[in-house]
Amino acid sequence: MTDHVNTSVPLWQQLQAVAQALAQVRRGVSGTAALEAVPSALRPGVQALLFQTLRQLGRAQALRAQLASRTPAPLPDALLCTALALAWDPDNAPYEPHTLVNQAVEAAKQTQSLHMPANFLNACLRRFLRERDALVKATDNNVLAQWNHPEWWVMRLQKDHPDHWQDILRASNQAAPMTWRVNTARTSREVLQADWANHGLTSFPVGAQGLLLAQAHPVRDVPGFAEGRCSVQDAAAQCAAQLLLDGLITTQQPLRILDACAAPGGKTAHLLELLDDKSQVTALDIDPQRCERIAQNLQRIGRSARIIAADAALTKTWWDGQLFDAILLDAPCTASGIVRRHPDVRWLRRERDIDKLAAIQKNLLKQLWPLVKPGGRLLYCTCSVFRAEGENQVKTFVEHNTHARLLPSLGHLRPQTRATAALLTDNLLGDHDGFYYALLEKLPAP
């Protein structure tokens, strides 16, 4: 068993908060926003239990369908599914199943709006304990229970990645590690790794500039963070700045770079770490509050950029008329490649969202491409594994823009863990999220 929670806080109280957060996610609220309402003393334990619940929610919903003839009201259903998600697999349960059931029933009794359904919840969960093996077996062939993703999501992956859809789903259902980017303008990966080791932190190299911590650690307590020597960033996301600047920073002229859709600023910071002080980076984001986060992140590494709060697609409202040497377009997407970090995403998204977001991506490409100098480049990327937001999007763009040439790019990176990395030789080495990258060069006018 693994103990994810603060044992000084009653388990029923944590399950109560998890159920309330799950009910909010089902109403369309992000997991991050739902957790912000949880008291700080409860939040770490509640987050751990909520994330495990979200990763097993498909199985829980299939089991609930076996136990109840009709779906209960939102909050009692959320508590029932929370208990089932955490208890159905004893080998991976955070507590003994009997303890989870007892505490879930106690949570119902302690919640005024759940007094009436408490007996119903108790009956369902006691039956689950008695008939667990038979109930689990009855759900084994259910797609939702098998993969803990919506059925449309599974079918979409089968279509987009016929040879690897199962690997993607398995990796997506694992907890993501804590991956860091080393600021090579201030230190080397080897020096930082040795410093961490002296503080009892074990790490492994990943990608070109990354370090993966063997065990998660409070960010502000990691040596080098406060001084801007390192930043938290997944290995796949670290590829953006490297791809965009490869071959450009050898030129003698200062570069003019745009990071569109830049918040919270991880890629902006990476660009600045790789560039000299003479080059100029403009960081753009539609959300003024998220622009403040960009400024905070840059302040920590001791660099600055021109930060603008504006819609990247409405170029007349923010562009000064000077062309860019390079543009990084990390376009809004379904975030289907980062569900191991954000397990709520799979339950928040609807299949129709793909087409809506693809239309936004198409428009951003259309509006930003004219801002690239002849001979310059645009890096299009999304944290998505769906081809409509990646390969198909870029293929259509190149077909309709004869002055755009697709340079060697990473394409679709499938999410993977260290355990599967050696088997997926066409991916990056190591552990990373799902991403898509396409580097486009603007050909000079004939």
Side-chain angles (χ1 to χ4, degrees):
M1 300 291 170
T2 55
D3 185 2
H4 294 288
V5 297
N6 184 345
T7 53
S8 65
V9 178
L11 178 55
W12 68 261
Q13 193 173 351
Q14 297 181 73
L15 294 176
Q16 184 185 61
V18 172
Q20 290 167 345
L22 176 58
Q24 289 188 66
V25 170
R26 284 173 157 176
R27 290 198 301 269
V29 177
S30 73
T32 300
L35 286 166
E36 285 177 356
V38 177
S40 57
L42 282 174
R43 196 173 300 148
V46 170
Q47 176 174 307
L49 292 172
L50 175 64
F51 278 22
Q52 186 167 348
T53 297
L54 291 167
R55 292 188 178 106
Q56 299 298 324
L57 187 57
R59 176 72 72 167
Q61 290 179 169
L63 287 169
R64 185 255 287 137
Q66 296 286 317
L67 293 165
S69 57
R70 57 184 179 181
T71 304
L75 188 56
D77 185 49
L79 181 56
L80 177 57
C81 285
T82 293
L84 292 170
L86 297 173
W88 82 270
D89 181 5
D91 292 337
N92 293 297
Y95 291 92
E96 292 289 347
H98 280 85
T99 299
L100 286 163
V101 166
N102 289 339
Q103 291 295 292
V105 173
E106 183 65 20
K109 293 178 179 178
Q110 295 285 346
T111 307
Q112 186 172 0
S113 61
L114 293 179
H115 286 174
M116 292 291 288
N119 289 335
F120 164 76
L121 291 170
N122 184 54
C124 287
L125 290 172
R126 299 299 172 188
R127 180 189 164 198
F128 164 74
L129 290 177
R130 293 193 306 271
E131 304 175 22
R132 189 193 69 85
D133 291 347
L135 289 167
V136 169
K137 185 176 181 180
T139 62
D140 277 342
N141 293 325
N142 182 301
V143 172
L144 192 65
Q146 276 184 311
W147 298 109
N148 288 295
H149 284 71
E151 187 170 355
W152 69 262
W153 189 301
V154 176
M155 293 177 66
R156 191 89 181 204
L157 288 180
Q158 288 175 336
K159 177 184 176 183
D160 285 358
H161 304 276
D163 296 327
H164 300 288
W165 65 274
Q166 293 175 316
D167 295 328
I168 293 172
L169 288 166
R170 290 191 188 102
S172 295
N173 229 27
Q174 299 297 312
M178 179 176 274
T179 306
W180 292 75
R181 183 189 74 248
V182 180
N183 182 354
T184 52
R186 294 195 170 186
T187 187
S188 70
R189 178 158 64 181
E190 293 73 23
V191 168
L192 186 64
Q193 190 174 24
D195 189 10
W196 286 1
N198 290 334
H199 287 80
L201 300 179
T202 302
S203 61
F204 307 92
V206 59
Q209 295 172 312
L211 282 174
L212 187 153
L213 275 179
Q215 296 291 332
H217 200 74
V219 171
R220 298 190 179 279
D221 294 340
V222 171
F225 172 76
E227 303 82 10
R229 292 192 294 148
C230 55
S231 303
V232 177
Q233 188 180 43
D234 183 76
Q238 291 182 34
C239 295
Q242 296 160 355
L243 281 169
L244 184 66
L245 298 180
D246 185 31
L248 281 183
I249 53 177
T250 59
T251 62
Q252 298 300 314
Q253 297 296 322
L255 295 174
R256 181 175 158 84
I257 310 291
L258 170 66
D259 184 1
C261 313
K267 297 181 182 68
T268 306
H270 197 188
L271 287 167
L272 290 165
E273 290 168 4
L274 297 176
L275 290 165
D276 58 35
D277 291 337
K278 296 179 181 179
S279 295
Q280 182 189 72
V281 174
T282 298
L284 192 70
D285 199 87
I286 196 170
D287 187 337
Q289 289 188 327
R290 285 168 61 82
C291 282
E292 292 178 11
R293 287 196 60 192
I294 299 175
Q296 292 166 3
N297 283 327
L298 297 188
Q299 184 179 21
R300 184 177 54 82
I301 68 165
R303 298 297 298 270
S304 61
R306 182 182 178 220
I307 302 173
I308 303 174
D311 185 340
L314 302 177
T315 57
K316 291 182 180 179
T317 65
W318 59 266
W319 184 44
D320 62 7
Q322 298 183 56
L323 297 176
F324 293 96
D325 296 286
I327 294 178
L328 170 56
L329 173 54
D330 186 1
C333 70
T334 57
S336 56
I338 59 172
V339 290
R340 60 185 197 151
R341 295 184 186 281
H342 301 281
D344 55 322
V345 166
R346 72 192 84 178
W347 309 115
L348 290 169
R349 289 297 181 201
R350 301 293 180 264
E351 188 169 16
R352 61 181 178 272
D353 294 339
I354 299 176
D355 289 339
K356 292 179 181 178
L357 287 161
I360 293 172
Q361 295 152 13
K362 179 180 178 180
N363 186 49
L364 282 167
L365 275 168
K366 178 182 177 182
Q367 300 302 327
L368 293 176
W369 184 245
L371 279 56
V372 180
K373 286 181 180 178
R377 55 180 61 173
L378 182 150
L379 180 65
Y380 171 82
C381 59
T382 61
C383 54
S384 175
V385 292
F386 297 137
R387 294 196 183 278
E389 301 183 281
E391 181 182 285
N392 296 351
Q393 187 75 260
V394 170
K395 182 180 178 181
T396 301
F397 179 79
V398 172
E399 287 175 350
H400 290 84
N401 291 273
T402 55
H403 56 311
R405 179 174 67 174
L406 180 62
L407 297 176
S409 307
L410 294 173
H412 280 284
L413 294 174
R414 300 185 302 278
Q416 65 183 38
T417 64
R418 279 197 296 147
T420 61
L423 304 176
L424 304 175
T425 54
D426 57 333
N427 263 6
L428 293 172
L429 294 178
D431 191 311
H432 59 77
D433 291 339
F435 247 81
Y436 175 80
Y437 284 108
L439 186 60
L440 300 165
E441 181 184 36
K442 178 176 279 189
L443 299 173

